[in-house]
Amino acid sequence: MYRQVSQDTESTPRPGDDDMFNDHTSIEKQKYHHGWTKKRIAKYVSAAFVSILALYVAFTLIVVQPGSYFNKTDKLNSGRREAVRNAMKYAWDGYRQYAFDSDELLPLSGGGSNEWGGWKLTLLDSLDTLYIMELHDEFDEAKKQVADIDFTKSQSGPYTSFFEMTIRAVAGLLSAYEMSGDKLLLEKAQSVADVLFTAFDPKTQLPHRFFDVNNRVVNPSSPATIADAGSCILEYAKLSQFTGNSTYFEKAKYVYDYIINAKTTIPGLYPSKLNASTGALYGPISFGAYADSFYEYMVKYYLLNDRKDDQYVAAYNRSIESMKTHMVGQSKVDSSLSYVGAMYYNDNSGQYVLDGEYQHLTCFVPGMLALGHKTLNRPQDLELAKKLMKTCYTMYSSTRTGLAAESIWFAPVSENKTAKAIAEEYALSLNDYDAKHGFFRFYNSYVLRPEVVESLMLLYRITGDPIYQEWGWNIFSAIEEYTKTSIGYATYKDVMDKNAAKNWVDQMSSFFLAETLKYLYLLFSPNDVISLDEYVFNTEAHPFRIIK
Ligand SMILES: *[C@@H]1O[C@H](CO)[C@@H](O)[C@H](O)[C@H]1NC(C)=O
Ligand SMILES: *[C@@H]1O[C@H](CO)[C@@H](O)[C@H](O)[C@H]1NC(C)=O
Ligand SMILES: *[C@@H]1O[C@H](CO)[C@@H](O)[C@H](O)[C@H]1NC(C)=O
Ligand SMILES: *[C@@H]1O[C@H](CO)[C@@H](O)[C@H](O)[C@H]1NC(C)=O
């Protein structure tokens, strides 16, 4: 439907098109042979010239400049890129029209929600996407709105998230500042950061998960996680670079070092929960929710500093080696499907046990491994990345809508234990079992998440294999077909049900604009648009220029 294949190369004149080579009948041939005139000779000479010219052009296109041969691919990609840009414009216009003063658009009822403090979160998260997609009028208008945001007050009570505001608000402002050079954006980034540092526990110097902006006190009731606390070093390194004030970086580095140097049972694998009051780490080990970007930033920090500061590279190597040894499993039915599960501590055996749940969130791992390979030359990691990527794509391609479930669980089926028996044992519905691939779908909703297209973009740029573009296009097409409402894009309740309107949920998360659409756009853009050699993406897809 969206394919826009160029006809240009097909319409190039070919030798057979010229009457000189037309072998209609032998009589005609005869006639030509005996009827040569000067005029005719001139015609044939010019026809021959045209043919030779055509051959020459074709030769230059195909052999001398192989890049041009891919004109077709370029056209296809630019059509796809344009379709993604239109989706961004659509989502943005909906937000702008119905929810410009709010954090997020309600894409069904046409209002706004302020669950993130009322800081116009979608706007902050979208600035650099608008800029990259060259939606300049939209960017300029949005930028002006930033002046009015009051980061000293919150509409969401004691639940402002240090992590989400760091990766979305601070990073969004910093990256938009770096692209546009508008000082106001930097001042605002600094003012959010100054408020966010309220989250730090005065005793441990570790950030709590939530804090109360209005009363400037921490909310100690929810444990922090290693992702919450340990994914801010890129953002605050950048803020310190721009402001010349090293405090931001030092505070972030203290937290990162604290976690990385913690004593662990398995080298390089960390429990995902963190009690910020005591500094205790506990709970399951995972590369998904609560842990993900803590690992992601180890190699990204090295890249951000132009490969000059390798203090977290050994930690990265250690974590990845242990992950490969302990946390990678395989479908019992289709051995081409690998996953990274989570590990739970078993009190009886005194050991960690691998569980086969693979979350959509964990699908950032193939991209991380590919980037780790590009940076540190770890070819085996790239092979694993390709396998994990296939599983992540299968999460989409195996459903009726082509959208992925939030999570899948690779069932321990065996010759002695059927899927039916497992379904009964764990109170699961056999309807959610995918017999061909050997997993149960867990939580059938698709919330417009980015991790799979993020990894597709990184794998495409690093391997050059166009299959990743095809997969990304299929995912985008499903998003267009099923989640697009008359106002924006909606979270989808059941990816196995094709009745779209029945499945829409009134929510369009800001990361859809910040990440999902940005990574799709870059997947179909030339590699020098936000080149991986010049930029590092924070975990919300905000690109930071490498610090030289
Ligand atoms: C942190 O640990 C302290 C001391 O054990 C405990 O009182 C508190 O409830 C814990 N906090 C969380 C969020 O679990
Ligand atoms: C650097 O930033 C911190 C945190 O906002 C602030 O307390 C400190 O006064 C600043 N230092 C300088 C030299 O401006
Ligand atoms: C990390 O792993 C890469 C690839 O095996 C290796 O070249 C590099 O020396 C390792 N770095 C550290 C600090 O362990
Ligand atoms: C299945 O049961 C048989 C007989 O009890 C046993 O020999 C075999 O090892 C079991 N297979 C698996 C995969 O557990």
Side-chain angles (χ1 to χ4, degrees):
M1 179 168 46
Y2 291 98
R3 278 168 193 270
Q4 297 185 1
V5 182
S6 155
Q7 298 301 315
D8 292 353
T9 40
E10 252 98 54
S11 61
T12 307
R14 281 166 302 172
D17 291 339
D18 201 274
D19 65 355
M20 182 164 102
F21 293 92
N22 266 356
D23 187 15
H24 295 303
T25 64
S26 51
I27 298 167
E28 264 186 305
K29 225 180 183 174
Q30 205 84 25
K31 196 172 85 191
Y32 283 141
H33 201 75
H34 294 285
W36 282 40
T37 61
K38 258 194 175 165
K39 201 173 156 204
R40 179 149 278 188
I41 289 169
K43 187 186 164 203
Y44 284 171
V45 167
S46 72
F49 177 73
V50 167
S51 302
I52 289 163
L53 184 69
L55 278 168
Y56 171 75
V57 168
F59 177 80
T60 331
L61 286 178
I62 295 169
V63 182
V64 181
Q65 292 180 297
S68 307
Y69 174 64
F70 296 109
N71 264 346
K72 250 184 175 168
T73 317
D74 288 350
K75 278 270 170 64
L76 179 64
N77 277 334
S78 66
R80 289 175 170 185
R81 189 163 63 239
E82 195 58 24
V84 176
R85 188 174 182 267
N86 287 339
M88 177 66 190
K89 201 165 150 31
Y90 191 79
W92 176 259
D93 285 346
Y95 171 71
R96 180 185 169 280
Q97 187 176 348
Y98 296 97
F100 216 21
D101 282 334
S102 309
D103 284 333
E104 286 175 345
L105 169 70
L106 299 171
L108 299 182
S109 53
S113 68
N114 276 318
E115 281 167 34
W116 299 97
W119 291 351
K120 306 187 189 188
L121 190 66
T122 298
L123 187 150
L124 299 178
D125 229 0
S126 300
L127 286 167
D128 57 16
T129 307
L130 295 172
Y131 195 91
I132 291 166
M133 294 188 185
E134 299 177 17
L135 290 162
H136 294 307
D137 294 343
E138 286 82 353
F139 177 82
D140 289 339
E141 185 191 29
K143 201 179 65 176
K144 290 199 191 97
Q145 304 294 312
V146 173
D148 302 333
I149 306 174
D150 182 358
F151 291 112
T152 65
K153 302 236 163 44
S154 163
Q155 293 179 36
S156 54
Y159 294 102
T160 294
S161 162
F162 169 76
F163 168 68
E164 301 288 355
M165 291 304 122
T166 297
I167 65 165
R168 302 194 203 196
V170 176
L173 286 162
L174 286 177
S175 123
Y177 163 68
E178 190 163 40
M179 287 177 184
S180 70
D182 188 323
K183 275 267 184 216
L184 172 76
L185 299 172
L186 175 60
E187 280 162 29
K188 285 290 183 178
Q190 193 170 9
S191 71
V192 199
D194 288 339
V195 171
L196 292 184
F197 277 82
T198 309
F200 278 67
D201 189 281
K203 198 173 98 232
T204 62
Q205 290 304 315
L206 302 172
H208 287 266
R209 186 160 198 217
F210 297 120
F211 69 105
D212 181 340
V213 173
N214 301 330
N215 297 302
R216 296 296 173 99
V217 288
V218 299
N219 173 341
S221 61
S222 316
T225 71
I226 58 172
D228 281 328
S231 317
C232 57
I233 194 158
L234 300 185
E235 290 79 0
Y236 294 119
K238 217 56 197 171
L239 185 57
S240 285
Q241 179 204 348
F242 291 145
T243 60
N245 182 338
S246 62
T247 304
Y248 304 108
F249 170 66
E250 282 158 11
K251 284 177 92 80
K253 179 168 169 18
Y254 176 83
V255 179
Y256 210 34
D257 287 343
Y258 177 86
I259 302 172
I260 284 176
N261 296 329
K263 255 187 89 184
T264 57
T265 314
I266 306 171
L269 297 182
Y270 300 83
S272 47
K273 298 207 174 164
L274 170 67
N275 184 325
S277 310
T278 65
L281 285 165
Y282 62 100
I285 292 171
S286 142
F287 273 74
Y290 305 148
D292 43 22
S293 43
F294 162 73
Y295 295 105
E296 177 188 341
Y297 277 16
M298 292 172 177
V299 84
K300 286 189 169 178
Y301 177 82
Y302 178 56
L303 279 172
L304 185 69
N305 288 289
D306 203 21
R307 308 181 189 222
K308 287 179 196 123
D309 182 350
D310 67 351
Q311 60 181 312
Y312 302 122
V313 171
Y316 177 78
N317 284 353
R318 201 160 50 230
S319 295
I320 300 306
E321 287 308 323
S322 289
M323 179 197 86
K324 290 198 293 192
T325 307
H326 298 281
M327 299 176 72
V328 176
Q330 221 172 54
S331 164
K332 299 276 191 266
V333 173
D334 175 353
S335 62
S336 76
L337 297 182
S338 295
Y339 61 87
V340 178
M343 291 202 294
Y344 294 86
Y345 191 72
N346 183 311
D347 284 327
N348 296 329
S349 68
Q351 285 189 325
Y352 281 101
V353 180
L354 183 65
D355 174 79
E357 185 186 350
Y358 193 39
Q359 301 171 339
H360 193 288
L361 284 166
T362 314
C363 283
F364 84 99
V365 170
M368 171 179 71
L369 292 176
L371 192 64
H373 163 65
K374 174 176 154 62
T375 312
L376 300 167
N377 186 27
R378 301 178 54 91
Q380 288 174 351
D381 291 4
L382 184 63
E383 292 316 304
L384 176 61
K386 291 178 190 167
K387 286 191 193 164
L388 295 171
M389 190 79 258
K390 185 181 172 207
T391 310
C392 294
Y393 177 62
T394 304
M395 286 170 77
Y396 285 79
S397 63
S398 63
T399 69
R400 294 199 185 106
T401 56
L403 298 170
E406 178 72 359
S407 163
I408 56 179
W409 182 58
F410 284 92
V413 289
S414 71
E415 51 186 345
N416 300 334
K417 203 169 194 181
T418 61
K420 188 162 175 281
I422 290 172
E424 274 161 20
E425 185 179 345
Y426 294 93
L428 298 169
S429 164
L430 203 55
N431 288 337
D432 293 327
Y433 184 63
D434 183 322
K436 190 170 150 211
H437 301 107
F439 56 70
F440 281 88
R441 280 187 196 87
F442 249 27
Y443 312 115
N444 272 358
S445 57
Y446 174 64
V447 305
L448 306 171
R449 280 201 193 285
E451 293 76 20
V452 175
V453 295
E454 167 185 354
S455 282
L456 287 172
M457 187 284 256
L458 289 166
L459 261 83
Y460 172 69
R461 287 204 173 176
I462 290 164
T463 67
D465 187 341
I467 189 72
Y468 301 119
Q469 289 183 317
E470 293 308 310
W471 290 355
W473 182 248
N474 293 342
I475 290 171
F476 177 71
S477 302
I479 290 173
E480 281 289 297
E481 185 169 358
Y482 290 102
T483 71
K484 192 171 184 173
T485 72
S486 61
I487 294 173
Y489 292 82
T491 291
Y492 205 83
K493 217 181 306 176
D494 181 0
V495 297
M496 292 302 279
D497 184 352
K498 292 171 83 160
N499 183 340
K502 204 181 103 204
N503 280 286
W504 287 335
V505 181
D506 205 5
Q507 183 184 7
M508 182 177 83
S509 289
S510 72
F511 54 67
F512 180 63
L513 294 85
E515 301 189 68
T516 311
L517 294 176
K518 185 188 288 146
Y519 281 129
L520 280 163
Y521 182 81
L522 295 176
L523 176 64
F524 303 119
S525 295
N527 290 358
D528 61 359
V529 179
I530 312 295
S531 159
L532 295 180
D533 296 322
E534 287 166 44
Y535 288 91
V536 175
F537 292 89
N538 95 322
T539 193
E540 186 79 1
H542 297 302
F544 293 148
R545 205 173 253 287
I546 287 171
I547 302 170
K548 301 268 179 185

